[in-house]
Amino acid sequence: MLVFQGFFGIIKIFIIEKDYNFSSKACQYYESPSFLSPFPKYISETFLVYSMFNRFPQKSSPLLSKILRKFYLCSFPCFFSRSASLLTFIFLSAILADDKSILRGLLPKGGNILKQITYSQPDQSPLFRPILRFSIPLMLTGLLQLAYNTADSVVVGRYAGSTSLAAVGATTSIIFLLVTLFNGVSIGTNYLTARYYGAGDQEAISQTVHCSAVLSVILGLMAGVVGILFSTPLLELAGAPMDVLPLSSLYLKIYFLGIPALVAYNFGSAILRAVGDTLYPLIFMIVSGAMNVGLNLLFVIVFHLGVAGVAIATSVSQLLSAVLVIIRLCTINSICRLDLRKIRLYPDKAALMLKIGLSAGIQGIIFSIANVMIQSAVNSFGSAVIAGNSAASGLENFIHTAQNTFYQATITFTSQSLGAKRPRQAVQVFWICMGLTVGLGLVMCVLLRLFQPQLLGIYVKPADDAYEAVMAAGVTRVLAISQFQWIGGMMETACGSIRGLGKTINPTVTTLIGACGLRVIWLYTIFKAVGTIESLYWSYPVSWTLTLVIHIVFLLIYKRQLEALQKGENACAPPV
């Protein structure tokens, strides 16, 4: 709850005091003895929503009025819940950042006073709706991509047994480790394309697009070769049990046959995202995802191929999505159109993409190394715990993927803002995306907590001999990690803002300290001393919190630079 209260204070200070002008002192904190108890302050925020809606509905947009009413009605029954009023205020703050109206709110005696908020940022365009329009298709795309990856675990767990499920689960961290490095460069592609798109530099965009095509082929082939050659040694290094090692190795080798196609798709979709096209990647994912599910059922149920069947289905689906996104790039009527005759390597653009992208990839690898070590410790508890851990982490990945949408939106909109020389807009992007990240994360974490037995039951049949043990292991992970996933989302959104500013070193160093370093230390100290699976899982929320704090410190430093830009002290965007 202290984290809720701290984040609430940050939202108030930076969204209200920095992004809006006040005709008089806007917030008078603790002007009555109510500060002695945290509850009156949170109750007063609920009354703030109510008073703004009832006193000046004619000055609010229809969207604002509608959402104010909904959130007021939702928060009133939970009057004494800090998290309910916090969620209300977070969404309200994001909406106010887009609303060009004057709102007045008078609160009950003894509460805080918000006298007047006036939107006064003539150099900015409304961003809340564009960010939502950008993010929703992107979120659905990510969830669908995750869904057809999760289909591997669901199908193999229900129709091939818990041992096969454990075999697929043992490969998760290794796949993430290798794929993250090569896909990290796509973040560099997204950043450069968005930056040049915001600046209107058509020649630079064309060079970036065609250089990205070359890099995607090279890096995709490298990822495939590395994954196929070193699948078994990596599994042994991760401590995969001997009873699942052969199946896990087979799954990895087949999976990495399709990695070049996956890398090509990620590069292509990164270019489309940079220019605001998130609808077509969603359509492509729907088509390829449907094929993946159908092939999973065909190969596992009809042909009884087990682990090999789900791996083949995934690789074929990845190939289809890559072909579709390449066709879209070659036929799109836009400055990001791909002309196969112009594909070549531009050293300057490649260097910039690698500088930003490899930094992001290395950051992901640092996370993955720590996760591989954690997975190795999980593997020591046996196949039932591995299966339960795999099922729970599969559910948590849906939360992570949904929140990660705003990480990507932050990078894209921040880059475009700096390319258009609108540094204040970059600050607004951060707070809108942060509010949406926390709000969505809280909702999804609560839903997972409420329906954890039913959701975990998707992965394992009740008739399975290890059903009770697998379910118990899954519930243990959900209780220890899932309810704090929103902190991980905040961490990623803050990181996305830094990357959108063109900074490459700080996020990587921060991850090295906050994620890898802390988790390794935790593994060899606290976990070694306690020895329970719960003590191992607690390393995740602790490392998320530490990394978030470090990101916020850097963002405060960069915020001063953006304020200097806004004052005209520097007409150029910060260098990459």
Side-chain angles (χ1 to χ4, degrees):
M1 290 303 174
L2 291 176
V3 177
F4 281 136
Q5 189 170 353
F7 181 71
F8 174 86
I10 292 174
I11 288 287
K12 261 190 150 179
I13 292 171
F14 286 95
I15 290 185
I16 297 179
E17 294 186 359
K18 298 300 183 183
D19 286 349
Y20 295 88
N21 293 328
F22 285 72
S23 60
S24 59
K25 187 177 180 182
C27 294
Q28 298 178 2
Y29 291 98
Y30 314 128
E31 65 176 8
S32 75
S34 65
F35 77 92
L36 295 175
S37 170
F39 288 102
K41 188 173 76 168
Y42 284 88
I43 294 173
S44 69
E45 299 307 329
T46 306
F47 274 115
L48 169 62
V49 178
Y50 170 77
S51 61
M52 285 195 296
F53 173 73
N54 283 310
R55 289 176 59 84
F56 289 91
Q58 72 278 6
K59 292 184 179 293
S60 302
S61 67
L63 174 65
L64 179 62
S65 299
K66 182 178 180 181
I67 296 185
L68 283 177
R69 179 184 293 275
K70 286 186 177 181
F71 274 100
Y72 169 68
L73 294 176
C74 291
S75 61
F76 189 84
C78 304
F79 220 79
F80 296 93
S81 170
R82 300 186 194 181
S83 58
S85 58
L86 170 68
L87 184 59
T88 301
F89 191 80
I90 289 172
F91 274 104
L92 174 63
S93 301
I95 296 165
L96 289 178
D98 186 59
D99 194 86
K100 297 180 180 178
S101 61
I102 298 176
L103 303 175
R104 299 171 183 265
L106 296 178
L107 305 178
K109 185 176 180 180
N112 299 331
I113 296 179
L114 183 59
K115 293 184 177 179
Q116 182 172 330
I117 302 177
T118 304
Y119 191 96
S120 59
Q121 299 180 0
D123 62 324
Q124 297 182 10
S125 301
L127 288 173
F128 182 72
R129 291 185 183 89
I131 288 176
L132 277 185
R133 285 195 299 267
F134 175 91
S135 300
I136 290 175
L138 182 59
M139 182 186 303
L140 294 175
T141 302
L143 291 175
L144 281 172
Q145 186 172 17
L146 179 61
Y148 79 66
N149 289 336
T150 304
D152 294 353
S153 298
V154 173
V155 172
V156 80
R158 295 186 68 87
Y159 298 102
S162 60
T163 300
S164 296
L165 175 62
V168 174
T171 67
T172 303
S173 298
I174 296 174
I175 290 175
F176 186 77
L177 186 152
L178 293 176
V179 172
T180 297
L181 174 62
F182 297 102
N183 286 347
V185 184
S186 68
I187 295 179
T189 298
N190 178 266
Y191 170 80
L192 282 185
T193 306
R195 182 75 169 266
Y196 295 138
Y197 185 75
D201 191 339
Q202 298 186 19
E203 180 63 24
I205 291 177
S206 177
Q207 292 180 1
T208 301
V209 169
H210 292 95
C211 182
S212 298
V214 178
L215 285 179
S216 67
V217 173
I218 295 174
L219 296 177
L221 292 175
M222 289 176 59
V225 171
V226 170
I228 292 172
L229 293 180
F230 296 99
S231 58
T232 301
L234 287 173
L235 287 167
E236 292 175 345
L237 182 64
M242 294 304 297
D243 60 336
V244 301
L245 182 60
L247 291 176
S248 297
S249 180
L250 176 62
Y251 180 85
L252 270 186
K253 290 177 180 178
I254 299 175
Y255 183 92
F256 276 102
L257 287 174
I259 282 297
L262 178 62
V263 174
Y265 170 80
N266 286 342
F267 267 81
S269 60
I271 294 171
L272 294 176
R273 287 197 309 270
V275 298
D277 185 357
T278 56
L279 179 60
Y280 274 91
L282 171 60
I283 296 173
F284 302 154
M285 194 54 58
I286 291 174
V287 174
S288 60
M291 172 177 281
N292 180 75
V293 173
L295 291 179
N296 273 333
L297 297 174
L298 176 65
F299 292 151
V300 175
I301 299 177
V302 178
F303 296 126
H304 305 288
L305 295 179
V307 169
V310 295
I312 294 171
T314 300
S315 296
V316 172
S317 302
Q318 289 170 349
L319 178 61
L320 175 62
S321 62
V323 170
L324 291 174
V325 79
I326 292 172
I327 292 175
R328 172 61 178 170
L329 286 173
C330 291
T331 57
I332 188 173
N333 185 21
S334 172
I335 56 178
C336 70
R337 183 168 182 165
L338 176 65
D339 187 343
L340 299 180
R341 295 169 298 180
K342 295 182 180 180
I343 292 179
R344 60 180 56 88
L345 192 67
Y346 295 92
D348 56 334
K349 298 298 185 295
L352 287 175
M353 282 187 283
L354 290 173
K355 180 181 179 181
I356 297 174
L358 286 180
S359 174
I362 291 172
Q363 174 181 324
I365 283 183
I366 293 171
F367 264 118
S368 299
I369 290 174
N371 289 338
V372 167
M373 298 180 70
I374 297 294
Q375 183 66 50
S376 179
V378 171
N379 292 345
S380 66
F381 287 90
S383 59
V385 174
I386 296 175
N389 179 80
S390 175
S393 63
L395 296 175
E396 291 162 7
N397 283 338
F398 281 94
I399 301 177
H400 171 266
T401 299
Q403 294 181 125
N404 184 259
T405 299
F406 301 115
Y407 162 78
Q408 298 181 53
T410 304
I411 294 177
T412 299
F413 280 84
T414 301
S415 301
Q416 288 186 2
S417 299
L418 294 186
K421 298 180 181 179
R422 293 181 177 180
R424 182 185 291 179
Q425 185 169 286
V427 177
Q428 185 187 13
V429 168
F430 169 76
W431 287 114
I432 292 175
C433 290
M434 182 65 80
L436 292 171
T437 300
V438 176
L440 179 65
L442 287 172
V443 171
M444 295 188 73
C445 287
V446 169
L447 291 176
L448 177 56
R449 180 72 179 270
L450 291 176
F451 299 102
Q452 57 186 5
Q454 295 85 349
L455 294 173
L456 289 171
I458 297 174
Y459 292 82
V460 187
K461 281 185 175 181
D464 195 294
D465 294 338
Y467 175 79
E468 294 295 335
V470 171
M471 290 292 292
V475 169
T476 298
R477 179 178 172 107
V478 170
L479 294 178
I481 298 179
S482 67
Q483 58 188 336
F484 301 106
Q485 284 280 111
W486 57 274
I487 302 177
M490 291 176 63
M491 176 196 71
E492 290 201 342
T493 299
C495 179
S497 184
I498 295 175
R499 292 202 178 281
L501 294 173
K503 309 299 181 180
T504 60
I505 303 301
N506 289 342
T508 304
V509 174
T510 299
T511 302
L512 177 63
I513 297 173
C516 186
L518 179 61
R519 290 183 189 177
V520 171
I521 294 173
W522 187 284
L523 186 63
Y524 288 102
T525 55
I526 296 178
F527 173 67
K528 187 176 181 179
V530 179
T532 63
I533 192 70
E534 293 88 348
S535 66
L536 180 64
Y537 288 152
W538 270 98
S539 63
Y540 284 92
V542 173
S543 63
W544 290 335
T545 303
L546 176 61
T547 307
L548 171 63
V549 170
I550 300 175
H551 282 325
I552 292 297
V553 171
F554 280 120
L555 282 172
L556 291 176
I557 296 173
Y558 298 144
K559 185 173 182 293
R560 295 180 181 178
Q561 298 177 5
L562 292 177
E563 289 174 347
L565 291 175
Q566 187 62 36
K567 293 177 182 178
E569 298 178 10
N570 187 351
C572 300
V576 178

